[in-house]
């Protein structure tokens, strides 16, 4: 089956997408729960902010799709739970797929599924498991016309970074993004590189597959807005931000500011003015 119908629900008419990720509870890390302790409040907040998509795990997606009305953002379903996000890595690392993930995605009316492609120094078994996960999902995605969003994630050594920290080396990002594309990704969700003015190289190596850029940990309003503007200028098809929206004092205002960059090409200063106006009105 073709993935076109669902991709047309995921991306706006301009071919861009802002996906708000609130699937962090999937990963058994207490610090990730800030701002989403009450998922009802978090989901209601995101729906009111009206991004293009919201990213959830299978349990919370059920709650999400029970909300009446047809104007909700599209659902991107997280399909794997990993244990790599703590200050110290456990003895056994995994990224485990939800059983019959694509069946759940169809049942929950998802517009896409998201799966990790993890690369951690000295952990080849984890990378191997991710390759197997993606290959397995790809076959089922093709059967049901479900877009596959692969999340290539290059991480720093834990003994150097002291926890969940990404490696912004553009060469490593490019190689892992390309591997995700070769494995059949319909959408790539990737980290920014250290020098975002070089991000067009990541877009090029993705070979026409749309690239949505991750937000990562909390950053200042100015940093996240300026970075988003530059990434869109470099050719990104959109963004997938979680903590920089849901942990913000004004999630709706931040969403409006970022949507103006993604869909209207607003400059950073314009987006910050929108955020300031939303905060004053709030």
């Amino acid at each position: 089956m073709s993935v076109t119908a669902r991709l047309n629900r995921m991306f706006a008419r301009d071919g861009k997408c802002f996906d708000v990720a609130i699937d962090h509870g999937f990963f058994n890390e207490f610090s990730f729960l800030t701002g989403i302790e009450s998922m009802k409040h978090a989901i209601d907040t995101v729906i009111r902010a009206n991004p293009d998509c919201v990213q959830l795990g299978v349990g919370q997606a059920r709650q999400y799709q029970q909300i009446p009305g047809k104007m909700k953002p599209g659902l991107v379903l997280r399909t794997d739970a990993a244990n790599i996000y703590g200050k110290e890595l456990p003895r056994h690392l995994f990224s485990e797929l939800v059983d019959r993930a694509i069946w759940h995605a169809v049942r929950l009316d998802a517009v896409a599924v998201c799966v990790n492609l993890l690369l951690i120094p000295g952990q080849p078994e984890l990378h191997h498991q991710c390759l197997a996960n993606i290959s397995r999902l790809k076959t089922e995605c093709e059967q049901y016309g479900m877009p596959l969003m692969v999340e290539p994630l290059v991480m720093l050594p834990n003994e150097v970074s002291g926890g969940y920290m990404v490696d912004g080396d553009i060469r490593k990002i490019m190689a892992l993004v390309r591997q995700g594309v070769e494995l059949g990704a319909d959408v790539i969700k990737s980290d920014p590189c250290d020098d975002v003015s070089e991000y067009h190289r990541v877009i090029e190596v993705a070979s026409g597959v749309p690239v949505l850029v991750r937000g990562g940990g909390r950053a200042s309003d100015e940093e996240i807005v300026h970075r988003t503007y530059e990434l869109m200028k470099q050719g990104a098809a959109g963004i997938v931000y979680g903590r920089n929206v849901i942990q913000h004092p004004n999630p709706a205002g931040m969403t409006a500011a970022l949507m103006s960059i993604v869909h209207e090409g607003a400059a950073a200063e314009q987006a910050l003015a929108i955020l300031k106006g939303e905060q004053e009105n709030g």
Side-chain angles (χ1 to χ4, degrees), residues 43-122:
I43 288 172
D44 288 347
T45 298
V46 170
I47 289 176
R48 287 196 305 271
N50 197 33
D52 299 295
C53 293
V54 58
Q55 190 166 300
L56 291 163
V58 64
Q60 302 290 0
R62 180 180 63 247
Q63 173 182 323
Y64 180 74
Q65 294 297 38
Q66 288 173 349
I67 297 170
K70 61 182 180 179
M71 299 306 292
K72 296 191 297 291
L75 169 66
V76 175
L77 188 70
R78 164 63 68 179
T79 62
D80 56 343
N83 66 338
I84 61 166
Y85 302 100
K87 292 288 184 183
E88 296 181 6
L89 292 179
R91 177 180 55 81
H92 172 69
L93 300 184
F94 62 79
S95 188
E96 186 73 20
L97 281 179
V98 170
D99 185 51
R100 299 185 67 190
I102 306 308
W103 179 83
H104 284 293
V106 173
R107 177 179 64 85
L108 291 163
D109 193 33
V111 299
V113 294
C114 182
V115 62
N116 279 316
L117 178 55
L118 301 166
L119 187 64
I120 301 177

Side-chain angles (χ1 to χ4, degrees), residues 127-169:
H127 186 65
H128 182 207
Q129 185 182 5
C130 290
L131 294 177
N133 288 346
I134 294 168
S135 295
R136 176 177 159 193
L137 285 180
K138 181 60 180 175
T139 300
E140 295 181 52
C141 283
E142 288 293 324
Q143 184 178 1
Y144 292 102
M146 182 64 63
L148 177 63
M149 180 159 71
V150 174
E151 183 172 356
L153 182 55
V154 183
M155 296 181 68
L156 291 167
N158 219 63
E159 60 272 18
V160 173
S161 61
Y164 169 49
M165 292 294 289
V166 300
D167 189 335
D169 185 332

Side-chain angles (χ1 to χ4, degrees), residues 1-276:
M1 294 177 63
S2 171
V3 298
T4 302
R6 287 188 171 95
L7 284 176
N8 283 341
R9 291 167 55 204
M10 181 178 184
F11 289 85
R13 292 178 66 89
D14 59 6
K16 309 297 184 186
C17 175
F18 180 14
D19 175 16
V20 175
I22 49 176
D23 56 352
H24 301 84
F26 220 46
F27 302 114
N28 190 30
E29 177 61 33
F30 178 77
S31 64
F32 285 6
L33 297 180
T34 303
I36 60 169
E37 295 92 343
S38 168
M39 279 300 287
K40 183 181 186 307
H41 175 73
I43 288 172
D44 288 347
T45 298
V46 170
I47 289 176
R48 287 196 305 271
N50 197 33
D52 299 295
C53 293
V54 58
Q55 190 166 300
L56 291 163
V58 64
Q60 302 290 0
R62 180 180 63 247
Q63 173 182 323
Y64 180 74
Q65 294 297 38
Q66 288 173 349
I67 297 170
K70 61 182 180 179
M71 299 306 292
K72 296 191 297 291
L75 169 66
V76 175
L77 188 70
R78 164 63 68 179
T79 62
D80 56 343
N83 66 338
I84 61 166
Y85 302 100
K87 292 288 184 183
E88 296 181 6
L89 292 179
R91 177 180 55 81
H92 172 69
L93 300 184
F94 62 79
S95 188
E96 186 73 20
L97 281 179
V98 170
D99 185 51
R100 299 185 67 190
I102 306 308
W103 179 83
H104 284 293
V106 173
R107 177 179 64 85
L108 291 163
D109 193 33
V111 299
V113 294
C114 182
V115 62
N116 279 316
L117 178 55
L118 301 166
L119 187 64
I120 301 177
Q123 301 292 340
E125 295 85 2
L126 180 64
H127 186 65
H128 182 207
Q129 185 182 5
C130 290
L131 294 177
N133 288 346
I134 294 168
S135 295
R136 176 177 159 193
L137 285 180
K138 181 60 180 175
T139 300
E140 295 181 52
C141 283
E142 288 293 324
Q143 184 178 1
Y144 292 102
M146 182 64 63
L148 177 63
M149 180 159 71
V150 174
E151 183 172 356
L153 182 55
V154 183
M155 296 181 68
L156 291 167
N158 219 63
E159 60 272 18
V160 173
S161 61
Y164 169 49
M165 292 294 289
V166 300
D167 189 335
D169 185 332
I170 192 168
R171 297 169 301 173
K172 296 175 185 176
I173 294 172
M174 288 172 64
L176 200 60
V177 164
R178 186 54 168 265
Q179 185 174 47
V181 170
E182 301 290 354
L183 287 166
D186 299 296
V187 182
I188 289 288
K189 174 187 173 187
S190 178
D191 281 308
C193 54
D194 291 331
D195 181 359
V196 294
S197 69
E198 289 192 304
Y199 208 73
H200 61 275
R201 298 173 63 192
V202 178
I203 306 302
E204 181 180 23
V205 84
S207 308
V209 173
V211 176
L212 306 181
V213 188
R214 295 176 70 252
R218 282 284 281 129
S220 70
D221 294 349
E222 291 74 15
E223 180 182 346
I224 200 70
V225 164
H226 281 277
R227 185 201 308 163
T228 303
Y229 173 72
E230 183 60 35
L231 288 166
M232 295 303 297
K233 204 168 74 170
Q234 291 288 311
I239 53 177
V240 183
Y241 290 177
R243 284 167 286 175
N244 283 293
V245 173
I246 206 66
Q247 292 180 0
H248 194 276
N250 184 3
M254 178 54 83
T255 299
L258 294 171
M259 287 284 277
S260 73
I261 298 173
V262 171
H263 290 297
E264 300 167 22
E269 292 74 17
Q270 293 172 299
L272 287 168
I274 290 171
L275 175 58
K276 183 179 179 183

